[in-house]
């Protein structure tokens, strides 16, 4: 026996056949819309204020509700700008073919109407319909609880239903668009040039992450989806672009969580003749300015907290913060074995396959990061965690690097970029040996980090031509949008998040 949804779908197909049989095209090519819903409401307000004369509009949208009132009926339609009510009066006076068409309309159908704007006795902005046109017949009904669709899996897998049912979802993504526009505007006004670098790369470089691998058949060569844009952007700095940035998708073949999606939007910028202190000032200025431009305030609500992005943000030493929240000063345990002993003494879970840098990063992400609610720069990282960053003068184990946190999320990472090609080669070699050692011990496989034996020789060659002192920045756009829209999951700010296929 057909399910209820199958029966409804069949009924809609029968309506579609009747509409076509009446000589009506249920999917016309175009429709002239004179006003959006919001513009129609604005016109009504202008009429009421005496600043407009004509009251006729052509509006179009999806039917969201239908209420019969004797010989009249009300509908709500929604377009990209919002919702407006329609009033159909004297249905019994409609021509027979129009009345039949009206009766075959369903919630979810898209229609266009012509009429005059008015305000009902209840104060609702309304269009009194003089004529209407079917623009798209919906063959599937909206979900039973379409108003406020709350099933998370359905919302993510069928984002179009989420957007239809939950206006606040659409507002989240409108704000995301405004944030990205504001970032571009900020950087462009400071003299940065936006560029595009390859998504398919022969070497998975610029970060330590597991890449996605593909194969180019014409070249008979394996390629990797980029895990960072850093090395190509630095090539451009070497080539004479003093201020350069890219804002686009980046891919890492790693875990999925409320903070991680395998493909994410990353901003990377590089400024010649700057260091990480300059980048800190630029980042806090940019984020606070975006808040003002997009939200009208430097304070945002995130969960139970109110976060102020007003500069200056806190600046704290990484080692001091990790020690404060974990009880371990990693500077006193300079090897992985010593650090594991200290962690075990504290009753912490210890992964025997992780190296020293990974253990320190684990202490940071587990104990300190969730406590960093107000915007905070953690500065001066161990060099072993920062193979592309310059060391502090006189402190060979400390790199000029910061990570920015807010709301318990890491939102940015930045370096005073290493520009010594000899030292960079040595750092790459050391990183390579670490990978090989981890592979021998079974901590990673060759597939985890692409071809483990690979070093980007072209990048090193480029550096040998001379790279100016440079400040580099990476900002996770998805996480920044999470903070500005008060969303606790990254899937709420990515239109089509990666999900496991249903079996």
């Amino acid at each position: 026996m057909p399910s209820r949804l199958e029966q409804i779908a069949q009924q809609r197909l029968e309506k579609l056949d009747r509409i076509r049989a009446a000589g009506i095209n249920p999917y016309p090519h175009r429709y002239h819309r004179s006003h959006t819903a919001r513009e129609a409401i604005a016109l009504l307000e202008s009429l009421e204020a005496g600043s407009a004369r004509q009251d006729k509009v052509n509006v179009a949208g999806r039917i969201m509700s239908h209420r019969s009132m004797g010989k009249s009926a009300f509908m709500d339609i929604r377009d990209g700008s919002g919702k407006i009510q329609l009033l159909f009066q004297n249905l019994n006076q409609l021509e027979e073919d129009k009345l039949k068409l009206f009766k075959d309309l369903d919630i979810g159908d898209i229609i266009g109407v012509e009429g005059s704007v008015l305000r009902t006795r209840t104060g609702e902005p309304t269009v009194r319909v003089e004529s209407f046109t079917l623009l798209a017949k919906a063959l599937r009904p909206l979900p039973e609880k379409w108003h406020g669709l709350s099933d998370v899996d359905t919302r993510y897998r069928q984002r179009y239903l989420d957007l239809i049912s939950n206006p606040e979802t659409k507002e989240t993504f409108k704000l995301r668009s405004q944030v990205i526009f504001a970032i571009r505007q900020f950087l462009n006004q400071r003299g940065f040039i936006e560029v595009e670098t390859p998504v398919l790369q022969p070497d998975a470089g610029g970060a330590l992450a597991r890449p996605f691998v593909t194969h180019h058949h014409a070249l008979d060569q394996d390629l990797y989806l980029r895990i960072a844009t850093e090395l190509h952007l630095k090539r451009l700095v070497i080539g004479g672009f003093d201020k350069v940035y890219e804002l686009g998708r980046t891919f890492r073949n790693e875990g999925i969580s409320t903070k991680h999606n395998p493909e994410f939007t990353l901003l990377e910028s590089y400024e010649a003749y700057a260091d990480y202190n300059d980048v800190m000032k630029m980042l806090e200025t940019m984020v606070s300015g975006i808040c003002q431009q997009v939200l009208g305030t430097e304070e945002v609500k995130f969960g139970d907290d109110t976060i102020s992005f007003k500069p200056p943000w806190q600046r704290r030493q990484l080692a001091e913060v990790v020690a404060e929240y974990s009880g371990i000063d990693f500077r006193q345990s300079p090897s992985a074995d010593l650090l594991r002993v200290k962690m075990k003494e504290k009753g912490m879970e210890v992964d025997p396959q992780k190296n020293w840098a990974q253990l320190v990063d684990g202490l940071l992400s587990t104990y300190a990061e969730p406590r960093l609610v107000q915007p905070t720069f953690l500065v001066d990282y161990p060099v072993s965690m920062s193979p592309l960053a310059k060391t502090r003068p006189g402190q060979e184990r400390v790199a000029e690097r910061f990570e920015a946190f807010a709301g318990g999320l890491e939102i940015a990472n930045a370096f005073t970029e290493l520009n010594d090609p000899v030292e960079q080669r040595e750092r790459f070699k050391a990183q390579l040996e670490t990978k090989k050692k981890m592979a021998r011990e079974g901590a990673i496989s060759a597939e985890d980090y692409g071809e483990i034996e690979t070093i980007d020789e072209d990048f090193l060659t480029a550096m040998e031509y001379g790279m100016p002192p440079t400040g580099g920045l990476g900002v996770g756009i998805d996480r920044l949008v999470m903070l500005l829209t008060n969303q606790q999951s990254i899937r709420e700010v990515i239109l089509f998040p990666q999900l496991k296929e249903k079996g």
Side-chain angles (χ1 to χ4, degrees):
M1 181 177 178
S3 68
R4 182 170 176 274
L5 287 178
E6 289 171 334
Q7 291 174 2
I8 294 173
Q10 181 57 41
Q11 291 169 4
R12 292 196 175 204
L13 282 171
E14 291 170 359
K15 291 179 179 180
L16 181 66
D17 289 340
R18 286 199 297 269
I19 291 167
R20 283 191 164 129
I24 299 172
N25 180 2
Y27 304 102
H29 288 69
R30 63 188 60 83
Y31 182 79
H32 171 69
R33 181 175 65 166
S34 65
H35 294 72
T36 64
R38 181 179 298 169
E39 289 167 347
I41 293 171
L43 174 62
L44 173 61
E45 292 170 349
S46 296
L47 286 165
E48 292 171 335
S51 58
R53 294 182 180 180
Q54 70 89 21
D55 63 355
K56 292 295 177 67
V57 295
N58 284 75
V59 296
R62 187 182 300 276
I63 300 172
M64 303 305 292
S65 68
H66 185 171
R67 306 174 297 282
S68 295
M69 307 282 288
K71 296 178 182 180
S72 300
F74 288 96
M75 286 183 183
D76 289 338
I77 62 168
R78 181 177 292 145
D79 64 11
S81 71
K83 177 178 70 71
I84 193 166
Q85 181 174 261
L86 307 180
L87 168 61
F88 293 81
Q89 287 184 315
N90 303 318
L91 291 172
N92 59 333
Q93 295 180 14
L94 286 178
E95 296 177 6
E96 184 178 355
D97 59 340
K98 280 293 187 180
L99 182 59
K100 288 181 179 178
L101 176 59
F102 180 85
K103 291 180 178 179
D104 280 337
L105 294 178
D106 292 298
I107 289 176
D109 291 352
I110 299 173
I111 63 171
V113 305
E114 180 179 0
S116 54
V117 289
L118 59 91
R119 195 177 296 276
T120 62
R121 284 178 294 180
T122 60
E124 185 74 14
T126 303
V127 177
R128 181 190 288 116
V129 177
E130 296 172 9
S131 65
F132 68 95
T133 305
L134 176 63
L135 302 178
K137 182 66 183 171
L139 300 183
R140 289 177 180 266
L142 296 176
E144 286 292 334
K145 296 182 179 179
W146 62 265
H147 184 69
L149 176 67
S150 57
D151 181 79
V152 172
D153 190 67
T154 300
R155 289 181 54 240
Y156 296 157
R157 290 184 188 278
Q158 296 176 279
R159 182 66 85 182
Y160 44 89
L161 291 180
D162 184 24
L163 294 168
I164 291 170
S165 305
N166 297 316
E168 62 272 16
T169 298
K170 189 179 294 182
E171 292 306 311
T172 294
F173 289 103
K174 285 182 179 178
L175 190 141
R176 179 189 173 106
S177 177
Q178 293 166 10
V179 168
I180 291 173
F181 174 82
I183 289 172
R184 285 193 164 103
Q185 191 176 44
F186 175 88
L187 292 170
N188 293 344
Q189 289 174 348
R190 292 174 75 99
F192 282 81
I193 303 297
E194 182 175 10
V195 298
E196 296 168 303
T197 62
V199 172
L200 292 175
Q201 301 181 351
D203 300 293
L208 187 63
R210 182 177 184 176
F212 288 93
V213 186
T214 187
H215 187 77
H216 192 293
H217 292 284
L219 297 176
D220 191 24
Q221 176 183 354
D222 282 345
L223 296 171
Y224 305 96
L225 295 184
R226 66 187 183 192
I227 58 176
T229 59
E230 178 170 354
L231 301 188
H232 281 87
L233 291 177
K234 286 182 180 178
R235 285 171 168 91
L236 299 180
V237 173
I238 293 166
F241 281 105
D242 288 346
K243 294 182 178 183
V244 64
Y245 76 94
E246 183 167 9
L247 206 165
R249 281 295 213 226
T250 304
F251 309 85
R252 297 184 184 179
N253 194 1
E254 298 178 336
I256 298 178
S257 71
T258 57
K259 297 180 181 180
H260 300 89
N261 195 64
E263 56 175 316
F264 56 98
T265 301
L266 181 67
L267 164 70
E268 287 200 51
S269 71
Y270 293 85
E271 180 177 359
Y273 314 109
D275 68 2
Y276 76 147
N277 291 300
D278 300 309
V279 177
M280 269 186 258
K281 293 176 184 176
M282 185 181 80
L283 178 62
E284 63 188 4
T285 301
M286 180 176 74
V287 174
S288 63
I290 288 168
C291 288
Q292 285 283 14
Q293 182 175 335
V294 175
L295 303 175
T297 176
E298 292 174 310
E299 292 189 350
V300 301
K301 189 76 174 174
F302 188 67
D304 295 329
D305 299 302
T306 298
I307 300 173
S308 172
F309 285 104
K310 183 178 181 178
W313 298 357
Q314 296 182 66
R315 288 157 169 75
R316 303 191 62 190
Q317 292 286 322
L318 169 70
E320 294 174 1
V321 171
V322 171
E324 176 182 342
Y325 292 117
S326 72
I328 296 177
D329 186 341
F330 59 75
R331 294 169 297 188
Q332 305 302 317
S333 303
S335 72
D337 289 337
L338 289 173
L339 189 52
R340 287 191 193 99
V341 169
K342 185 62 66 175
M343 291 172 68
K344 288 178 181 178
E345 289 176 357
K346 295 285 186 179
M348 298 175 182
E349 187 175 329
V350 180
D351 186 339
Q353 294 185 323
K354 287 187 174 181
N355 60 31
W356 184 84
Q358 290 172 317
L359 292 173
V360 172
D361 188 61
L363 291 173
L364 168 61
S365 60
T366 301
Y367 298 98
E369 184 174 320
R371 312 283 188 88
L372 302 175
V373 175
Q374 296 304 318
T376 303
F377 293 117
L378 295 190
V379 302
D380 298 343
Y381 279 55
V383 169
S384 58
M385 298 176 70
S386 315
L388 294 164
K390 267 186 174 297
T391 57
R392 288 287 302 274
Q395 300 182 55
E396 63 179 20
R397 293 175 61 89
V398 178
E400 288 196 348
R401 173 188 176 186
F402 74 75
E403 288 184 310
F405 298 85
L409 298 172
E410 177 200 339
I411 59 172
N413 184 28
F415 308 147
T416 300
E417 301 294 337
L418 180 60
N419 63 338
D420 180 340
V422 175
E423 184 178 352
Q424 184 65 83
R425 182 177 290 278
E426 293 304 312
R427 296 253 199 111
F428 277 165
K429 286 181 179 179
Q431 189 180 51
L432 184 60
E433 288 305 314
T434 298
K435 289 182 184 179
K436 289 181 177 179
K437 182 175 183 293
M438 293 173 71
R440 288 194 299 270
E441 295 172 353
I444 63 171
S445 65
E447 291 77 15
D448 283 338
Y449 294 97
E451 292 295 330
I452 288 179
E453 293 78 11
T454 296
I455 288 178
D456 192 336
E457 288 291 342
D458 181 72
F459 172 67
L460 291 172
T461 298
M463 286 193 70
E464 289 171 357
Y465 284 96
M467 175 175 150
T470 300
L473 170 67
V475 179
I477 300 301
D478 307 303
R479 292 184 183 176
L480 179 60
V481 175
M482 285 173 63
L483 288 168
L484 300 189
T485 58
N486 194 15
Q487 300 293 345
Q488 304 300 310
S489 171
I490 198 169
R491 293 178 179 179
E492 296 288 353
V493 299
I494 296 176
L495 278 167
F496 301 102
Q498 196 67 42
L499 301 168
K500 187 174 183 179
E501 288 189 6
K502 287 186 175 181

